[in-house]
Amino acid sequence: METTSQWRTAGQDEVSLAASTDLFRHITADKAMFYRAIMGVFAAAKRQYRLQLRPDEVLAEADWGGALPAQEEVVTALAQLSVWGNLESQPDMARVSTLNDYYRARFLYRLSRGGEAVEAGLEAFAHSLRHRAELQTVALEDIDGRLQALQRLLGEAPSGEDIDVAKAHEILRDLVRVFEDLAGNAQAFMAGVARSLELQQADATALVAYKRRLIEYLERFMADLIRRSDAIARTLHELAQSIDGVLRQIAEREARDAAPADADERADETRRRWDIWRERWKGLCGWFLSSSNALPQAELLRARARAAIPQLLGAIAAMNERRSGRSDRSADFRALAQWFAACDGDDDAHRLARAAFALQPARHFSLDVAAGEDVPASTSWLDAPPLTINPRLREYGEAAPRGPLASVRDRSRGRALMALQLAEESRQVEAARRRLATGRPTLLSELGELDPQAFELFLGLLGEALAEQADPEQTVERQTGDGLLYLCLEPLAADSRAQIRTPVGVFSGRDHLLTVRPTRERA
């Protein structure tokens, strides 16, 4: 029986999934605009609290965008929407006056539960596409007003125990709603302010008007943000001492509405809701109060709004460049390619190439030509010997910089100092290798004290060995990455300990048997 029940449940899920996909078929059907006009009538009726509609009412109220369709076509579309599950139908007996009317199919239609969900989703989708990022100064005023109301409410009950919890709960709910709206719009503005500068197709008059409106809008918001943020931050500082108890009382009030449970479950529910309210309050404080490692979000939003003005000016400059008719190199090459394609023959193409790329004899330039290589100016560049061109001439158009030449600095002392430092480092590294690469098995506990170079080499060897070790009890044998040394690391008892003293501290851990030898000796 269990197996049969499970199979039946899975089949029901598949049927439900298929039915949910049918709800969206009217969007991609051949007569999608016709179906959407009908569904728009039912969505409007839902907002007007009308329970059901007749086909003639749908025909009269729909926005068909042209000539009215036949009523039979509307009836067919309503029946198809009922089959897909967007509408529900029932026989219409109110207008039956004769026996023929009784036998004639007449139906009343209303939105089904799935149809309501589809319409709500499509409306939210369309609203999201139309939504423009905005900076809300009204939201800042609302947040400030609600925080002051909460402060006055706490001032009426200094102990925090006699506070009107219902009123505090209502204030905080409104505060969370307004703050979430502000944060969502600010996030959209910070992410899409660059995309909102749609100036590619604007004319000069619209461009100037849009620039003026945007700059005034940003200046007004930044002024209000600076003024409101300080007041909100002061209020948050004053509420910080007593807000935790208020949030706990609100969490207890919300937990009373939860499903009946024992004392432990009620306590867990109260703690969970308390954590949620404390997290919301922490987010609100993070918007207006700075911490040790981060600036407040309001300051970041203010900086992003200021950065929108240079972006606007950059977009204006780019548009002016496009309007001035300046061509880029790729456009020049495309035009040149069209000219080459229009040439009648190879001779014309060669003449065009010489004219376009200046492929003419240039021996009359004052270049450093080796003795015996002087050739007439009429010699073709294909027949003349090659010339050695100074790279600076190719890059800057001149062989030597203008003005007096810079004095040559004597760097012999610096080179000698660098050579001494490299020799000293090489000597220290070689000494560290001789200190460790003895070729004899040595306990880590017997290495004694290591200087910084030897300890650095030891850490490198130990890191390469442990990288190959899949099990702490495994013996590792490998060649170092530079190929100069060969090492073998064998772990000892698990309770063994080894300590290696260095000038910077003591390195300790499990004792191992280490064998390091140069690669050439092993070979």
Short mmCIF file of all heavy atoms in Angstrom, two decimals, residues 72 104 126 151 189 203 207 230 237 268 297 305 355 362 367 394 410 445 519:
data_model
loop_
_atom_site.label_atom_id
_atom_site.label_comp_id
_atom_site.label_asym_id
_atom_site.label_seq_id
_atom_site.Cartn_x
_atom_site.Cartn_y
_atom_site.Cartn_z
N GLU A 72 -18.81 35.39 -30.82
CA GLU A 72 -18.46 33.96 -30.86
C GLU A 72 -16.96 33.76 -30.67
O GLU A 72 -16.53 32.79 -30.03
CB GLU A 72 -18.92 33.35 -32.20
CG GLU A 72 -20.43 33.24 -32.38
CD GLU A 72 -21.06 34.57 -32.71
OE1 GLU A 72 -20.28 35.54 -32.96
OE2 GLU A 72 -22.30 34.66 -32.70
N ARG A 104 -29.35 26.30 -24.35
CA ARG A 104 -28.22 26.97 -24.97
C ARG A 104 -27.11 27.15 -23.92
O ARG A 104 -27.39 27.49 -22.76
CB ARG A 104 -28.65 28.33 -25.51
CG ARG A 104 -27.55 29.08 -26.26
CD ARG A 104 -28.09 30.41 -26.75
NE ARG A 104 -29.24 30.21 -27.62
CZ ARG A 104 -30.01 31.20 -28.05
NH1 ARG A 104 -29.77 32.45 -27.65
NH2 ARG A 104 -31.03 30.95 -28.85
N ALA A 126 6.17 43.19 -15.03
CA ALA A 126 6.10 44.43 -15.80
C ALA A 126 6.50 45.63 -14.94
O ALA A 126 7.19 46.55 -15.41
CB ALA A 126 4.69 44.63 -16.35
N GLN A 151 11.38 57.21 20.17
CA GLN A 151 12.10 57.82 21.27
C GLN A 151 11.15 58.46 22.26
O GLN A 151 11.33 58.36 23.49
CB GLN A 151 13.09 58.86 20.71
CG GLN A 151 14.03 59.44 21.75
CD GLN A 151 14.98 60.44 21.12
OE1 GLN A 151 14.71 60.98 20.06
NE2 GLN A 151 16.09 60.69 21.78
N PHE A 189 19.63 52.15 -7.56
CA PHE A 189 20.28 53.35 -8.07
C PHE A 189 21.78 53.15 -8.19
O PHE A 189 22.40 53.49 -9.21
CB PHE A 189 19.98 54.53 -7.15
CG PHE A 189 20.72 55.80 -7.53
CD1 PHE A 189 20.25 56.61 -8.54
CD2 PHE A 189 21.89 56.15 -6.88
CE1 PHE A 189 20.93 57.76 -8.89
CE2 PHE A 189 22.58 57.30 -7.24
CZ PHE A 189 22.10 58.10 -8.24
N ASP A 203 18.55 64.62 -28.46
CA ASP A 203 19.01 65.81 -29.18
C ASP A 203 19.59 66.80 -28.19
O ASP A 203 19.59 66.59 -26.98
CB ASP A 203 17.88 66.42 -29.99
CG ASP A 203 16.68 66.76 -29.11
OD1 ASP A 203 16.78 66.58 -27.87
OD2 ASP A 203 15.67 67.20 -29.65
N LEU A 207 19.04 66.96 -24.12
CA LEU A 207 20.25 66.68 -23.36
C LEU A 207 20.48 67.73 -22.28
O LEU A 207 20.75 67.41 -21.12
CB LEU A 207 21.44 66.63 -24.32
CG LEU A 207 22.82 66.43 -23.68
CD1 LEU A 207 22.87 65.08 -22.99
CD2 LEU A 207 23.90 66.51 -24.75
N ASP A 230 22.54 62.95 9.99
CA ASP A 230 23.05 63.33 11.31
C ASP A 230 21.97 63.20 12.37
O ASP A 230 22.22 62.68 13.48
CB ASP A 230 23.58 64.76 11.26
CG ASP A 230 24.82 64.89 10.38
OD1 ASP A 230 25.48 63.85 10.16
OD2 ASP A 230 25.12 66.00 9.91
N HIS A 237 21.84 56.60 18.38
CA HIS A 237 22.74 56.54 19.54
C HIS A 237 21.95 56.60 20.85
O HIS A 237 22.24 55.86 21.81
CB HIS A 237 23.73 57.70 19.48
CG HIS A 237 24.98 57.38 18.71
ND1 HIS A 237 25.82 56.34 19.04
CD2 HIS A 237 25.51 57.97 17.61
CE1 HIS A 237 26.83 56.30 18.19
NE2 HIS A 237 26.67 57.27 17.31
N ASP A 268 11.82 29.02 22.02
CA ASP A 268 12.63 29.02 20.79
C ASP A 268 12.06 29.97 19.76
O ASP A 268 12.81 30.69 19.08
CB ASP A 268 12.69 27.60 20.21
CG ASP A 268 13.48 26.64 21.10
OD1 ASP A 268 14.27 27.14 21.93
OD2 ASP A 268 13.29 25.42 20.97
N GLN A 297 26.37 52.92 5.16
CA GLN A 297 25.85 52.77 3.81
C GLN A 297 25.35 54.10 3.24
O GLN A 297 25.42 54.32 2.03
CB GLN A 297 24.72 51.74 3.80
CG GLN A 297 25.15 50.34 4.14
CD GLN A 297 26.09 49.76 3.11
OE1 GLN A 297 25.90 49.97 1.92
NE2 GLN A 297 27.10 49.05 3.55
N ALA A 305 26.16 58.91 -5.51
CA ALA A 305 25.37 59.96 -6.14
C ALA A 305 26.28 61.08 -6.66
O ALA A 305 26.03 61.65 -7.73
CB ALA A 305 24.35 60.51 -5.14
N ALA A 355 49.81 56.05 -52.08
CA ALA A 355 49.26 57.31 -51.58
C ALA A 355 48.76 57.20 -50.14
O ALA A 355 48.89 58.13 -49.34
CB ALA A 355 48.12 57.77 -52.49
N ALA A 362 62.35 57.86 -49.52
CA ALA A 362 62.54 58.83 -48.43
C ALA A 362 64.01 58.95 -48.05
O ALA A 362 64.34 59.21 -46.91
CB ALA A 362 61.72 58.40 -47.22
N LEU A 367 68.89 60.80 -42.02
CA LEU A 367 69.04 59.61 -41.21
C LEU A 367 70.50 59.21 -41.18
O LEU A 367 71.29 59.58 -42.05
CB LEU A 367 68.20 58.47 -41.80
CG LEU A 367 66.69 58.73 -41.87
CD1 LEU A 367 66.00 57.57 -42.56
CD2 LEU A 367 66.11 58.93 -40.48
N ARG A 394 60.25 56.19 -34.40
CA ARG A 394 59.00 55.52 -34.76
C ARG A 394 57.88 55.84 -33.77
O ARG A 394 56.71 55.92 -34.15
CB ARG A 394 59.24 54.01 -34.82
CG ARG A 394 58.04 53.20 -35.29
CD ARG A 394 58.36 51.72 -35.28
NE ARG A 394 59.43 51.40 -36.19
CZ ARG A 394 59.27 51.15 -37.49
NH1 ARG A 394 58.07 51.21 -38.02
NH2 ARG A 394 60.30 50.86 -38.26
N ASP A 410 76.10 58.25 -12.63
CA ASP A 410 77.04 57.17 -12.37
C ASP A 410 76.39 56.18 -11.40
O ASP A 410 76.14 56.52 -10.23
CB ASP A 410 78.33 57.74 -11.77
CG ASP A 410 79.38 56.65 -11.58
OD1 ASP A 410 79.17 55.53 -12.10
OD2 ASP A 410 80.41 56.91 -10.91
N SER A 445 63.85 17.05 16.40
CA SER A 445 64.15 17.50 17.76
C SER A 445 65.64 17.70 17.98
O SER A 445 66.05 18.31 18.98
CB SER A 445 63.61 16.48 18.78
OG SER A 445 64.14 15.19 18.52
N THR A 519 70.55 16.62 -4.94
CA THR A 519 70.05 15.70 -5.97
C THR A 519 71.19 14.98 -6.68
O THR A 519 71.10 13.79 -6.99
CB THR A 519 69.20 16.49 -6.99
OG1 THR A 519 68.16 17.17 -6.29
CG2 THR A 519 68.58 15.56 -8.02
#
